Amino acid sequence: MEKLSEKRVSGEIFIKRFCDKFRTDMNFSLIFSANVEVTGTDTIKLTNINPYHLYKIFPQVEEVFIFVKYNSTPYVINAKIKKIDTDRIYAEIKNEEIHKDKRRFHRFHFCCRDLGDFSIEKNGNIITKSACVQELSRSGVGVLNPEIDSVKEGDIIRLENFKDELSLEVKILYRKPKGKFDILGGEIISSNKNLINYVIKKYIKVSKDLIEKAG
């Protein structure tokens, strides 16, 4: 805990969203940076939060995740929000809520309306033109496929969003049936665009809309 004090850290909070097309709930990640100070045995204070307008969102969430490094090892600290002042956040940390961060790349979650429809092509055939990308990172993708049982683990597919002219070649790592659609998780083999720039652009638009709706 004492190593946290007076550091500039990165963090994230999650806000629940309802996605109409497949009638699913998802948690959208809002990323920020802040100064952190230890104010008690298990309490921290976050100040100088950037972007500043994120203060409007904090009353809607119960916990915050802080990213830190100890001896070059990345950790995630899960802290429960206790008090929100005009320009500072107080949160409580328990030892069991400090974990090693095993993610290679940050994952961003979206509703279908954020990225638009995607087609799925397998073996030269278009399976659907109304799939949804709900999770996207530099190396992986999560897809909602309305054509149940049409894509299997180990398949190589092509995802295309014609509006954004985005094309991804993906190896499917798992398939999880869920009612009227399948959840597909895959490793991105290749992309015709810089995915970091693409994801950041979409993330900024969604986060701006959420902050504006928060007042």
Side-chain angles (χ1 to χ4, degrees):
M1 282 283 291
E2 67 276 3
K3 294 181 181 179
L4 273 177
S5 209
E6 298 181 0
K7 281 190 175 182
R8 188 76 184 170
V9 298
S10 296
E12 67 180 340
I13 55 177
F14 292 93
I15 183 167
K16 187 173 288 292
R17 303 175 70 205
F18 179 72
C19 303
D20 301 289
K21 183 173 180 179
F22 287 91
R23 302 194 65 78
T24 58
D25 289 327
M26 55 86 72
N27 290 318
F28 184 77
S29 166
L30 289 163
I31 300 169
F32 66 90
S33 64
N35 292 341
V36 61
E37 177 185 347
V38 176
T39 59
T41 304
D42 56 3
T43 306
I44 59 172
K45 177 175 68 176
L46 300 173
T47 57
N48 295 324
I49 292 175
N50 184 36
Y52 177 81
H53 295 294
L54 217 58
Y55 280 108
K56 298 177 182 178
I57 300 291
F58 272 96
Q60 302 179 31
V61 300
E62 297 180 352
E63 56 188 359
V64 59
F65 298 85
I66 305 295
F67 305 114
V68 296
K69 279 190 177 182
Y70 293 147
N71 298 323
S72 299
T73 301
Y75 287 86
V76 179
I77 299 174
N78 180 1
K80 294 190 177 359
I81 295 175
K82 293 298 181 182
K83 182 181 178 182
I84 301 173
D85 284 343
T86 305
D87 59 355
R88 63 198 64 196
I89 310 291
Y90 292 91
E92 183 182 29
I93 299 173
K94 301 295 185 182
N95 286 334
E96 62 269 20
E97 294 168 340
I98 301 176
H99 310 282
K100 286 185 178 179
D101 189 359
K102 298 180 180 180
R103 299 176 300 181
R104 289 181 60 216
F105 302 107
H106 196 92
R107 303 184 188 98
F108 293 87
H109 293 79
F110 297 96
C111 285
C112 300
R113 60 182 178 269
D114 301 328
L115 305 185
D117 289 337
F118 280 75
S119 67
I120 297 178
E121 179 183 329
K122 186 176 83 168
N123 299 327
N125 299 313
I126 301 292
I127 295 171
T128 180
K129 292 184 178 181
S130 59
C132 168
V133 168
Q134 68 164 2
E135 182 180 336
L136 191 59
S137 75
R138 181 178 173 183
S139 63
V141 62
V143 183
L144 304 183
N145 177 19
E147 295 298 323
I148 298 172
D149 208 26
S150 60
V151 177
K152 308 286 189 181
E153 181 179 326
D155 284 347
I156 304 295
I157 65 170
R158 182 167 297 281
L159 292 170
E160 288 201 59
N161 181 311
F162 296 104
K163 181 179 178 181
D164 290 340
E165 299 182 340
L166 174 66
S167 178
L168 306 173
E169 187 178 12
V170 177
K171 179 179 180 180
I172 299 301
L173 302 180
Y174 68 84
R175 166 186 166 266
K176 180 181 177 182
K178 191 170 182 179
K180 296 182 179 181
F181 58 89
D182 285 345
I183 299 175
L184 307 175
E187 175 188 3
I188 296 174
I189 300 171
S190 64
S191 169
N192 68 333
K193 284 193 173 188
N194 184 315
L195 278 181
I196 295 177
N197 290 342
Y198 178 80
V199 170
I200 289 176
K201 181 179 178 180
K202 296 295 185 180
Y203 164 81
I204 290 174
K205 183 181 185 306
V206 176
S207 59
K208 181 180 178 182
D209 289 344
L210 289 173
I211 291 171
E212 288 178 351
K213 288 179 181 177

